[in-house]
Amino acid sequence: MKLRYAMVCASNQNRSMEAHALLQKIGLDVSSYGTGAHVKLPGPSIREPNIYAFGTPYQIMFNDLKSKDPHLYKRNGLLQMLKRNVSVKEAPQRWQDNAADGAFDVVFTFEERVFNAVIEDLDNREQRLIKTVLVVNLDVKDNHEEAAVGARLALDLCQKLEAADDWEDEIELIIRGFEKQYRRRVIYNICFY
């Protein structure tokens, strides 16, 4: 079985891109998105974030941060993260604007508010295909180390879904086994669009 995956976080920068890079590396059909109104990256203080529009190329963000304070953004890992992102795709994309990208079989989110935004968006889309989509949330803290852990967990769950004869019939067992194995709570929803 070959499924089509979407990885979604708030800004399509850290968690979704770490998972996108890992799944792409092993040959799965994967895309990634953010659900926020804009892309927000840490700045010199919590009150001074770096804000970009979705669609701004990762290379432009990299150059911008490097010109502002290369030591700060190297130390906090943003320059390395943006280098990785450049190697995966050109720019962050917004989930709510992805209808032209086609249907996905499985959508992974990495925090509950993003999960809720994806479900709400799918519920509000004009139904054209009546296609089943599994939306899964793995809560992952938004830092580089946890993003790497979350990507490996998402990959493992993807591999379990790929190995299933019929994921729709086996999803309850797959999720329960995954939760027991990793001692992590997973929420999921099956939607149609």
Side-chain angles (χ1 to χ4, degrees):
M1 177 185 323
K2 269 288 200 189
L3 299 172
R4 187 158 189 250
Y5 300 94
M7 303 291 134
V8 186
C9 66
S11 290
N12 197 198
Q13 288 288 339
N14 187 27
R15 295 165 293 179
S16 63
M17 287 299 288
E18 183 73 30
H20 185 160
L22 181 61
L23 270 65
Q24 183 174 287
K25 189 183 202 176
I26 67 153
L28 294 177
D29 184 356
V30 62
S31 297
S32 61
Y33 303 93
T35 57
H38 48 261
V39 174
K40 192 159 110 172
L41 292 173
S45 77
I46 197 151
R47 284 179 252 196
E48 301 173 273
N50 291 286
I51 308 271
Y52 302 95
F54 277 97
T56 302
Y58 292 116
Q59 188 64 54
I60 288 176
M61 293 179 204
F62 177 89
N63 294 343
D64 183 47
L65 295 183
K66 193 170 181 183
S67 72
K68 288 178 179 176
D69 190 339
H71 300 293
L72 168 66
Y73 296 116
K74 184 174 185 180
R75 190 173 62 249
N76 70 10
L78 287 183
L79 293 180
Q80 297 89 318
M81 179 189 77
L82 288 165
K83 269 187 187 176
R84 180 216 45 225
N85 294 356
V86 166
S87 73
V88 174
K89 68 181 196 177
E90 183 181 357
Q93 296 169 274
R94 191 163 182 262
W95 168 261
Q96 294 87 333
D97 303 328
N98 85 343
D101 293 351
F104 293 95
D105 299 297
V106 183
V107 178
F108 278 87
T109 63
F110 298 97
E111 67 181 283
E112 199 163 340
R113 74 182 172 99
V114 173
F115 175 83
N116 292 333
V118 167
I119 298 290
E120 181 181 338
D121 179 68
L122 289 172
D123 286 345
N124 291 325
R125 285 187 185 189
E126 183 181 321
Q127 291 193 348
R128 296 182 191 166
L129 304 171
I130 310 293
K131 175 161 177 42
T132 304
V133 61
L134 172 65
V135 184
V136 176
N137 185 68
L138 300 170
D139 275 323
V140 175
K141 287 184 183 156
D142 193 6
N143 63 52
H144 302 299
E145 297 77 23
E146 288 297 314
V149 170
R152 288 191 301 276
L153 291 171
L155 172 60
D156 187 64
L157 194 46
C158 290
Q159 291 171 327
K160 287 173 176 19
L161 292 167
E162 291 282 336
D165 291 327
D166 183 348
W167 71 260
E168 290 181 59
D169 288 341
E170 300 172 46
I171 190 60
E172 187 72 29
L173 285 173
I174 292 169
I175 294 291
R176 296 304 152 240
F178 181 87
E179 287 180 323
K180 187 176 179 182
Q181 179 181 356
Y182 292 106
R183 295 189 174 122
R184 286 182 92 108
R185 183 175 155 261
V186 174
I187 57 174
Y188 71 95
N189 197 337
I190 296 174
C191 301
F192 300 94
Y193 74 110

PDB file of all heavy atoms in Angstrom, residues 118-133:
ATOM      1  N   VAL A 118      -6.806  21.727  11.240  1.00  0.00           N
ATOM      2  CA  VAL A 118      -6.881  20.848  10.069  1.00  0.00           C
ATOM      3  C   VAL A 118      -8.277  20.222   9.967  1.00  0.00           C
ATOM      4  O   VAL A 118      -8.891  20.213   8.893  1.00  0.00           O
ATOM      5  CB  VAL A 118      -5.786  19.760  10.103  1.00  0.00           C
ATOM      6  CG1 VAL A 118      -6.042  18.664   9.075  1.00  0.00           C
ATOM      7  CG2 VAL A 118      -4.412  20.393   9.880  1.00  0.00           C
ATOM      8  N   ILE A 119      -8.801  19.721  11.089  1.00  0.00           N
ATOM      9  CA  ILE A 119     -10.139  19.115  11.099  1.00  0.00           C
ATOM     10  C   ILE A 119     -11.182  20.146  10.663  1.00  0.00           C
ATOM     11  O   ILE A 119     -12.043  19.864   9.827  1.00  0.00           O
ATOM     12  CB  ILE A 119     -10.489  18.560  12.511  1.00  0.00           C
ATOM     13  CG1 ILE A 119      -9.531  17.452  12.930  1.00  0.00           C
ATOM     14  CG2 ILE A 119     -11.951  18.105  12.571  1.00  0.00           C
ATOM     15  CD1 ILE A 119      -9.655  16.167  12.174  1.00  0.00           C
ATOM     16  N   GLU A 120     -11.095  21.342  11.229  1.00  0.00           N
ATOM     17  CA  GLU A 120     -12.047  22.400  10.882  1.00  0.00           C
ATOM     18  C   GLU A 120     -11.979  22.722   9.389  1.00  0.00           C
ATOM     19  O   GLU A 120     -13.005  22.867   8.719  1.00  0.00           O
ATOM     20  CB  GLU A 120     -11.765  23.653  11.713  1.00  0.00           C
ATOM     21  CG  GLU A 120     -12.721  24.790  11.423  1.00  0.00           C
ATOM     22  CD  GLU A 120     -12.416  26.043  12.242  1.00  0.00           C
ATOM     23  OE1 GLU A 120     -11.767  25.945  13.305  1.00  0.00           O
ATOM     24  OE2 GLU A 120     -12.839  27.123  11.812  1.00  0.00           O
ATOM     25  N   ASP A 121     -10.760  22.824   8.863  1.00  0.00           N
ATOM     26  CA  ASP A 121     -10.599  23.127   7.443  1.00  0.00           C
ATOM     27  C   ASP A 121     -11.185  22.011   6.574  1.00  0.00           C
ATOM     28  O   ASP A 121     -11.897  22.290   5.600  1.00  0.00           O
ATOM     29  CB  ASP A 121      -9.121  23.335   7.109  1.00  0.00           C
ATOM     30  CG  ASP A 121      -8.921  23.619   5.628  1.00  0.00           C
ATOM     31  OD1 ASP A 121      -9.347  24.692   5.168  1.00  0.00           O
ATOM     32  OD2 ASP A 121      -8.375  22.737   4.930  1.00  0.00           O
ATOM     33  N   LEU A 122     -10.913  20.763   6.906  1.00  0.00           N
ATOM     34  CA  LEU A 122     -11.452  19.650   6.121  1.00  0.00           C
ATOM     35  C   LEU A 122     -12.976  19.631   6.175  1.00  0.00           C
ATOM     36  O   LEU A 122     -13.636  19.378   5.165  1.00  0.00           O
ATOM     37  CB  LEU A 122     -10.885  18.318   6.616  1.00  0.00           C
ATOM     38  CG  LEU A 122      -9.416  18.060   6.306  1.00  0.00           C
ATOM     39  CD1 LEU A 122      -8.928  16.803   7.027  1.00  0.00           C
ATOM     40  CD2 LEU A 122      -9.177  17.940   4.803  1.00  0.00           C
ATOM     41  N   ASP A 123     -13.536  19.922   7.352  1.00  0.00           N
ATOM     42  CA  ASP A 123     -14.995  19.946   7.490  1.00  0.00           C
ATOM     43  C   ASP A 123     -15.632  21.053   6.659  1.00  0.00           C
ATOM     44  O   ASP A 123     -16.781  20.922   6.216  1.00  0.00           O
ATOM     45  CB  ASP A 123     -15.399  20.132   8.964  1.00  0.00           C
ATOM     46  CG  ASP A 123     -15.191  18.878   9.794  1.00  0.00           C
ATOM     47  OD1 ASP A 123     -15.004  17.781   9.211  1.00  0.00           O
ATOM     48  OD2 ASP A 123     -15.213  18.990  11.040  1.00  0.00           O
ATOM     49  N   ASN A 124     -14.897  22.145   6.452  1.00  0.00           N
ATOM     50  CA  ASN A 124     -15.448  23.291   5.719  1.00  0.00           C
ATOM     51  C   ASN A 124     -15.158  23.268   4.220  1.00  0.00           C
ATOM     52  O   ASN A 124     -15.666  24.117   3.493  1.00  0.00           O
ATOM     53  CB  ASN A 124     -14.928  24.600   6.317  1.00  0.00           C
ATOM     54  CG  ASN A 124     -15.503  24.844   7.686  1.00  0.00           C
ATOM     55  OD1 ASN A 124     -16.646  24.508   7.963  1.00  0.00           O
ATOM     56  ND2 ASN A 124     -14.699  25.433   8.574  1.00  0.00           N
ATOM     57  N   ARG A 125     -14.339  22.331   3.766  1.00  0.00           N
ATOM     58  CA  ARG A 125     -14.034  22.261   2.333  1.00  0.00           C
ATOM     59  C   ARG A 125     -15.228  21.739   1.548  1.00  0.00           C
ATOM     60  O   ARG A 125     -15.987  20.905   2.030  1.00  0.00           O
ATOM     61  CB  ARG A 125     -12.841  21.336   2.073  1.00  0.00           C
ATOM     62  CG  ARG A 125     -11.540  21.966   2.463  1.00  0.00           C
ATOM     63  CD  ARG A 125     -10.374  21.120   2.037  1.00  0.00           C
ATOM     64  NE  ARG A 125      -9.136  21.721   2.534  1.00  0.00           N
ATOM     65  CZ  ARG A 125      -7.944  21.321   2.196  1.00  0.00           C
ATOM     66  NH1 ARG A 125      -7.780  20.308   1.369  1.00  0.00           N
ATOM     67  NH2 ARG A 125      -6.881  21.922   2.682  1.00  0.00           N
ATOM     68  N   GLU A 126     -15.340  22.219   0.345  1.00  0.00           N
ATOM     69  CA  GLU A 126     -16.370  21.697  -0.549  1.00  0.00           C
ATOM     70  C   GLU A 126     -16.007  20.252  -0.875  1.00  0.00           C
ATOM     71  O   GLU A 126     -14.905  19.969  -1.336  1.00  0.00           O
ATOM     72  CB  GLU A 126     -16.394  22.529  -1.831  1.00  0.00           C
ATOM     73  CG  GLU A 126     -17.459  22.117  -2.797  1.00  0.00           C
ATOM     74  CD  GLU A 126     -17.419  22.957  -4.062  1.00  0.00           C
ATOM     75  OE1 GLU A 126     -17.172  24.178  -3.966  1.00  0.00           O
ATOM     76  OE2 GLU A 126     -17.621  22.378  -5.138  1.00  0.00           O
ATOM     77  N   GLN A 127     -16.917  19.348  -0.594  1.00  0.00           N
ATOM     78  CA  GLN A 127     -16.622  17.933  -0.825  1.00  0.00           C
ATOM     79  C   GLN A 127     -16.735  17.622  -2.310  1.00  0.00           C
ATOM     80  O   GLN A 127     -17.768  17.832  -2.920  1.00  0.00           O
ATOM     81  CB  GLN A 127     -17.560  17.040  -0.015  1.00  0.00           C
ATOM     82  CG  GLN A 127     -17.279  17.144   1.464  1.00  0.00           C
ATOM     83  CD  GLN A 127     -17.973  16.050   2.251  1.00  0.00           C
ATOM     84  OE1 GLN A 127     -18.823  15.347   1.760  1.00  0.00           O
ATOM     85  NE2 GLN A 127     -17.584  15.929   3.508  1.00  0.00           N
ATOM     86  N   ARG A 128     -15.645  17.116  -2.848  1.00  0.00           N
ATOM     87  CA  ARG A 128     -15.604  16.761  -4.263  1.00  0.00           C
ATOM     88  C   ARG A 128     -15.401  15.269  -4.463  1.00  0.00           C
ATOM     89  O   ARG A 128     -15.966  14.679  -5.350  1.00  0.00           O
ATOM     90  CB  ARG A 128     -14.457  17.505  -4.958  1.00  0.00           C
ATOM     91  CG  ARG A 128     -14.656  18.992  -4.960  1.00  0.00           C
ATOM     92  CD  ARG A 128     -13.527  19.665  -5.688  1.00  0.00           C
ATOM     93  NE  ARG A 128     -13.639  21.100  -5.433  1.00  0.00           N
ATOM     94  CZ  ARG A 128     -12.717  21.967  -5.671  1.00  0.00           C
ATOM     95  NH1 ARG A 128     -11.575  21.582  -6.166  1.00  0.00           N
ATOM     96  NH2 ARG A 128     -12.892  23.231  -5.420  1.00  0.00           N
ATOM     97  N   LEU A 129     -14.561  14.672  -3.627  1.00  0.00           N
ATOM     98  CA  LEU A 129     -14.147  13.293  -3.857  1.00  0.00           C
ATOM     99  C   LEU A 129     -14.811  12.292  -2.921  1.00  0.00           C
ATOM    100  O   LEU A 129     -14.857  11.119  -3.232  1.00  0.00           O
ATOM    101  CB  LEU A 129     -12.621  13.167  -3.653  1.00  0.00           C
ATOM    102  CG  LEU A 129     -11.729  14.071  -4.486  1.00  0.00           C
ATOM    103  CD1 LEU A 129     -10.295  13.973  -4.021  1.00  0.00           C
ATOM    104  CD2 LEU A 129     -11.829  13.695  -5.952  1.00  0.00           C
ATOM    105  N   ILE A 130     -15.263  12.730  -1.777  1.00  0.00           N
ATOM    106  CA  ILE A 130     -15.694  11.839  -0.697  1.00  0.00           C
ATOM    107  C   ILE A 130     -14.572  10.826  -0.442  1.00  0.00           C
ATOM    108  O   ILE A 130     -14.734   9.630  -0.559  1.00  0.00           O
ATOM    109  CB  ILE A 130     -17.041  11.144  -0.992  1.00  0.00           C
ATOM    110  CG1 ILE A 130     -18.086  12.151  -1.439  1.00  0.00           C
ATOM    111  CG2 ILE A 130     -17.515  10.382   0.247  1.00  0.00           C
ATOM    112  CD1 ILE A 130     -18.511  13.145  -0.379  1.00  0.00           C
ATOM    113  N   LYS A 131     -13.418  11.361  -0.121  1.00  0.00           N
ATOM    114  CA  LYS A 131     -12.238  10.548   0.164  1.00  0.00           C
ATOM    115  C   LYS A 131     -12.010  10.499   1.666  1.00  0.00           C
ATOM    116  O   LYS A 131     -12.184  11.481   2.359  1.00  0.00           O
ATOM    117  CB  LYS A 131     -11.031  11.159  -0.544  1.00  0.00           C
ATOM    118  CG  LYS A 131      -9.734  10.459  -0.226  1.00  0.00           C
ATOM    119  CD  LYS A 131      -8.689  10.755  -1.244  1.00  0.00           C
ATOM    120  CE  LYS A 131      -7.361  10.121  -0.928  1.00  0.00           C
ATOM    121  NZ  LYS A 131      -7.357   8.784  -0.446  1.00  0.00           N
ATOM    122  N   THR A 132     -11.608   9.332   2.151  1.00  0.00           N
ATOM    123  CA  THR A 132     -11.292   9.164   3.568  1.00  0.00           C
ATOM    124  C   THR A 132      -9.884   9.678   3.832  1.00  0.00           C
ATOM    125  O   THR A 132      -8.955   9.377   3.081  1.00  0.00           O
ATOM    126  CB  THR A 132     -11.350   7.663   3.937  1.00  0.00           C
ATOM    127  OG1 THR A 132     -12.623   7.163   3.597  1.00  0.00           O
ATOM    128  CG2 THR A 132     -11.098   7.464   5.414  1.00  0.00           C
ATOM    129  N   VAL A 133      -9.735  10.451   4.906  1.00  0.00           N
ATOM    130  CA  VAL A 133      -8.414  10.903   5.326  1.00  0.00           C
ATOM    131  C   VAL A 133      -8.300  10.704   6.832  1.00  0.00           C
ATOM    132  O   VAL A 133      -9.220  11.013   7.581  1.00  0.00           O
ATOM    133  CB  VAL A 133      -8.140  12.377   4.923  1.00  0.00           C
ATOM    134  CG1 VAL A 133      -9.133  13.332   5.552  1.00  0.00           C
ATOM    135  CG2 VAL A 133      -6.717  12.793   5.282  1.00  0.00           C
TER     136      VAL A 133
END
